Amino acid sequence: MKKIVLALILIGLNSCNRETTELTTLNFEKDLIPEGIVIDSESKTVFLNSLRKNKIVKCKLDGSSPTEFIESNQYNYLSGFGMTIKGDTLFALGNSLPKKNNTSILLLLNLKTGSLINSYSINDSTFIYLNDLAISSNNDIYITDSESNKIYTIQRSSGKLEVYLENDEIANSNGITISDDDKYLYLASYKSGIRIIDVKSKRILNEPNMDYTGIDGMKYYKNTLIGIVNARRDTNKQGIFRYYLDETKEKIIRKEKIVPYGEHFIIPTTFDIVGEYIFYIINSQLDNFNQESNQIIDNNKLESYVLMKKKIE
């Protein structure tokens, strides 16, 4: 009798695990090397951009109907980096590869048609590498520069990109997100970990913490931050982590690993959250891509991209 009960318990646990995770193969070209991903919950569509091919593709969440959203180099798009959706607009950052003499661009695209709404670039003699972006409820846009100590915004009066904050304590920031009340920005700095910024005063509220470094994509979720850690040498320190904030949202009080390094974590970069689910590409294949030459290292190792859907709680 005890054996039967134990078997039923194990079956129940396995069933619960299947309900919280789901893998879907996406039938795009295998040499895209995707960096950015966003999900349109209304149309149940996933959008991926391509580091190698300077374009954005889309398909249904079940992997069906793969097609191009914008073609290679359309609207002067570059190698794809951070993307996000706000309302009926897809915001897409791009940079030229290789990094030397880089140019950066931000496209605003109609989510349904792919038509261009607006584009922004920076005419600056200094080296700029726009990486990821966050948008407030008032449509204020904040953009990280992973090669400097600057955060950019779009000045509404002039419609131009300009520096929002410049500080060595936020140098080489990658992921960025904003609190649900628009009061705080959270930056994933390569050099100092997650930094918390008071949006109004532009004051850095917390101290550096090297235990919170190596984060690529990062998003705010129910008084926590969720981040993909893929830049730590020790693979035991890689994975998807959840960082819990205190009641003030100004301090990280603990962290929890929710996806370990392994078969469901093969250099993912960014992700999106819809409802209580995380969506990300488990196998970006960045390790098979030479960014300096914009070439695949070994074509025989290319594989189909796999979308992970995982329940957060």
Side-chain angles (χ1 to χ4, degrees):
M1 186 63 160
K2 289 183 179 179
K3 290 183 178 179
I4 294 175
V5 172
L6 179 59
L8 290 173
I9 291 172
L10 291 174
I11 290 171
L13 289 173
N14 288 333
S15 176
C16 289
N17 185 61
R18 285 194 298 269
E19 289 175 0
T20 59
T21 61
E22 182 179 327
L23 296 175
T24 303
T25 299
L26 306 183
N27 297 311
F28 297 122
E29 311 100 294
K30 295 179 180 181
D31 59 347
L32 284 176
I33 316 298
E35 207 281 349
I37 177 174
V38 287
I39 307 294
D40 177 24
S41 58
E42 183 177 338
S43 65
K44 294 181 172 56
T45 300
V46 54
F47 296 82
L48 297 181
N49 59 24
S50 171
L51 281 173
R52 183 164 186 259
K53 295 191 173 183
N54 300 11
K55 67 179 182 178
I56 301 174
V57 297
K58 67 175 184 176
C59 68
K60 294 299 182 181
L61 280 175
D62 62 4
S64 64
S65 305
T67 187
E68 290 186 340
F69 181 62
I70 62 169
E71 300 174 351
S72 294
N73 304 310
Q74 190 173 356
Y75 310 127
N76 297 315
Y77 192 50
L78 301 166
S79 292
F81 280 77
M83 295 196 300
T84 193
I85 289 174
K86 183 72 183 298
D88 60 358
T89 303
L90 189 152
F91 297 74
L93 288 171
N95 292 283
S96 56
L97 291 178
K99 286 185 176 182
K100 186 178 180 181
N101 300 321
N102 175 64
T103 57
S104 295
I105 193 167
L106 169 63
L107 298 184
L108 277 60
L109 303 165
N110 183 289
L111 189 60
K112 294 182 178 179
T113 66
S115 59
L116 181 67
I117 298 171
N118 212 334
S119 66
Y120 302 89
S121 58
I122 302 177
N123 295 318
D124 197 317
S125 58
T126 60
F127 186 73
I128 295 168
Y129 210 76
L130 302 182
N131 196 300
D132 205 359
L133 71 164
I135 304 175
S136 74
S137 60
N138 296 320
N139 293 319
D140 295 316
I141 300 172
Y142 304 94
I143 306 170
T144 56
D145 180 351
S146 60
E147 295 294 328
S148 79
N149 62 351
K150 299 175 183 177
I151 304 298
Y152 288 86
T153 188
I154 294 178
Q155 176 57 249
R156 292 187 177 182
S157 60
S158 65
K160 295 181 178 179
L161 281 165
E162 65 174 26
V163 175
Y164 162 77
L165 177 63
E166 181 176 1
N167 192 308
D168 286 340
E169 290 196 46
I170 59 167
N172 307 111
S173 289
N174 191 331
I176 182 172
T177 189
I178 191 167
S179 60
D180 54 358
D181 57 9
D182 295 332
K183 290 184 178 180
Y184 305 103
L185 281 174
Y186 303 91
L187 312 174
S189 169
Y190 177 77
K191 291 189 174 181
S192 61
I194 299 172
R195 308 310 300 271
I196 303 173
I197 312 297
D198 180 281
V199 170
K200 191 172 183 179
S201 69
K202 302 182 183 180
R203 186 166 58 94
I204 301 173
L205 302 176
N206 66 329
E207 296 297 320
N209 189 329
M210 297 307 292
D211 193 36
Y212 301 153
T213 58
I215 298 173
D216 198 328
M218 184 171 68
K219 292 192 180 294
Y220 182 91
Y221 177 80
K222 293 184 178 180
N223 208 50
T224 67
L225 305 172
I226 295 177
I228 288 182
V229 179
N230 61 13
R232 301 292 294 265
R233 290 185 179 181
D234 184 351
T235 56
N236 291 321
K237 295 181 179 180
Q238 293 190 33
I240 299 181
F241 288 81
R242 190 172 184 184
Y243 305 87
Y244 290 80
L245 300 165
D246 67 1
E247 293 182 357
T248 69
K249 304 178 183 178
E250 298 179 4
K251 183 180 179 181
I252 299 170
I253 54 178
R254 67 184 178 93
K255 71 174 183 178
E256 172 191 6
K257 184 184 287 189
I258 58 178
V259 177
Y261 176 89
E263 63 177 339
H264 292 160
F265 189 95
I266 311 169
I267 320 181
T269 53
T270 58
F271 64 99
D272 204 357
I273 296 176
V274 178
E276 297 181 340
Y277 290 89
I278 297 173
F279 293 84
Y280 68 98
I281 300 299
I282 68 173
N283 55 335
S284 67
Q285 304 188 86
L286 270 174
D287 57 344
N288 193 22
F289 179 58
N290 186 326
Q291 294 191 35
E292 291 303 307
S293 64
N294 197 30
Q295 295 294 319
I296 300 299
I297 297 170
D298 187 346
N299 285 288
N300 293 321
K301 292 183 178 180
L302 289 172
E303 58 187 18
S304 297
Y305 296 102
V306 178
L307 176 70
M308 164 71 93
K309 175 185 177 183
K310 177 176 175 58
K311 194 170 185 180
I312 299 172
E313 298 172 316

